[in-house]
Amino acid sequence: MDPLEDWLEYMQPRLAGLVDFELPAGAVTLMDRSPAALARLEAELLARTAPGTDFLERVAGFLGESLLSAAGGSWTWDERRGLPVVTPDPELGLPPVCPAELVEEARLRRDGDEFGRGLRELERAVAEKQAAVPGWTPVKQPTPGLDEDPTATFDWPYLDAWLAERAAGLPAWLATYAERPELWDFSQGSLDELEAAARQRVAGPDELAAHHEFAEGASWYLGEVLRPAMRAQWCYVPGEPDGDNMFVGRPFLDQLIPDGTVAVPFLLIQVALADRGPGVLRHAYDRLT
């Protein structure tokens, strides 16, 4: 996969992992792009004497999304650096900003305001442009899984609410159903934890629907592991689930390309409950991606 595509496709799980597993509860939310959120994030960065590579990457992703929200533009790939960079709206005439380098600069300066300075510089440029061109506003290229894509199909209110509810409720869901929540990191390997949780709680495939809260959270988690790897989009067809059309009434993933792959996470979990062999969901991941 192209490195920029890989960076973008894993952005939502990357930031969800930061918010749900790396930061104190309530420190920031997935879509909080405020200066206060950046200040709290930088404080957490500086509090760690030896932050891991995954944490630094997640912080850079969150910082980059915050800068894009202020100045528009898009993620691009800097071949010289070998890193993703933020390229502000072309109308601003600004050079790209490398969030990973800002993260390292923050660790060197240790004054707690490196992220804030970067954000304010872009906000000043936007304000100057708006003073010169009244009514102008920066345009941000949508990031998969984080921003609403105006070209997307299947934009059902139920799906929007379902996705938001499941993302927000993940910590509570893990506290209820996961024996080792620290291993639920949206990786392929974490599917073994999901598989074990399903088999421990649900006797068989026909009983899954009766465990509504577990099934909904498990389906969302499985879908969020698969979605970036499949380069797919969540879709939903309204109606009551039945045996005639597996896509009705349950959120599913669709690559939205000719002959693209489609997956219904709820049904994949049912397959794992019916098979009972090891690694059923990991094998499904391999097959779908």
Side-chain angles (χ1 to χ4, degrees), residues 113-185:
D113 194 37
E114 187 66 27
F115 296 174
R117 278 190 294 270
L119 180 63
R120 290 192 297 273
E121 287 177 10
L122 295 181
E123 289 177 335
R124 280 194 293 269
V126 170
E128 291 172 2
K129 179 69 175 181
Q130 290 175 330
V133 185
W136 180 85
T137 186
V139 177
K140 179 183 186 294
Q141 181 174 313
T143 299
L146 293 177
D147 300 315
E148 182 179 356
D149 184 347
T151 66
T153 58
F154 300 95
D155 184 20
W156 296 101
Y158 172 86
L159 180 60
D160 294 339
W162 186 82
L163 292 172
E165 179 183 357
R166 292 299 142 197
L170 178 62
W173 189 91
L174 288 175
T176 302
Y177 300 111
E179 289 191 356
R180 300 184 292 178
E182 69 277 5
L183 298 183
W184 295 63
D185 59 359

Side-chain angles (χ1 to χ4, degrees), residues 101-120:
E101 291 181 354
L102 287 182
V103 170
E104 288 306 307
E105 188 65 24
R107 297 179 65 202
L108 290 173
R109 287 197 181 191
R110 306 195 68 80
D111 66 358
D113 194 37
E114 187 66 27
F115 296 174
R117 278 190 294 270
L119 180 63
R120 290 192 297 273

Side-chain angles (χ1 to χ4, degrees), residues 179-193:
E179 289 191 356
R180 300 184 292 178
E182 69 277 5
L183 298 183
W184 295 63
D185 59 359
F186 294 94
S187 67
Q188 182 182 7
S190 72
L191 296 181
D192 287 343
E193 296 295 312

Side-chain angles (χ1 to χ4, degrees), residues 25-51:
V28 300
T29 64
L30 188 60
M31 301 306 295
D32 188 353
R33 305 289 181 255
S34 66
L38 286 184
R40 288 191 289 269
L41 182 61
E42 188 166 351
E44 180 66 24
L45 170 69
L46 298 182
R48 303 194 179 199
T49 56

Side-chain angles (χ1 to χ4, degrees), residues 157-174 176-177 184 186 194 197-198 201-202 205 207-225 234-237 239-241 246-253 264-270 273:
Y158 172 86
L159 180 60
D160 294 339
W162 186 82
L163 292 172
E165 179 183 357
R166 292 299 142 197
L170 178 62
W173 189 91
L174 288 175
T176 302
Y177 300 111
W184 295 63
F186 294 94
L194 173 57
R201 180 161 295 270
V202 184
E207 286 75 41
L208 181 59
H211 297 267
H212 177 76
E213 189 61 25
F214 172 80
E216 295 291 280
S219 296
W220 175 83
Y221 183 87
L222 175 56
E224 283 301 294
V225 175
W234 280 107
C235 302
Y236 178 73
V237 177
E240 289 297 320
M246 67 178 182
F247 302 117
V248 172
R250 299 202 186 283
F252 63 95
L253 296 168
V264 184
F266 181 91
L267 299 184
L268 292 176
I269 296 170
Q270 284 189 313
L273 290 169

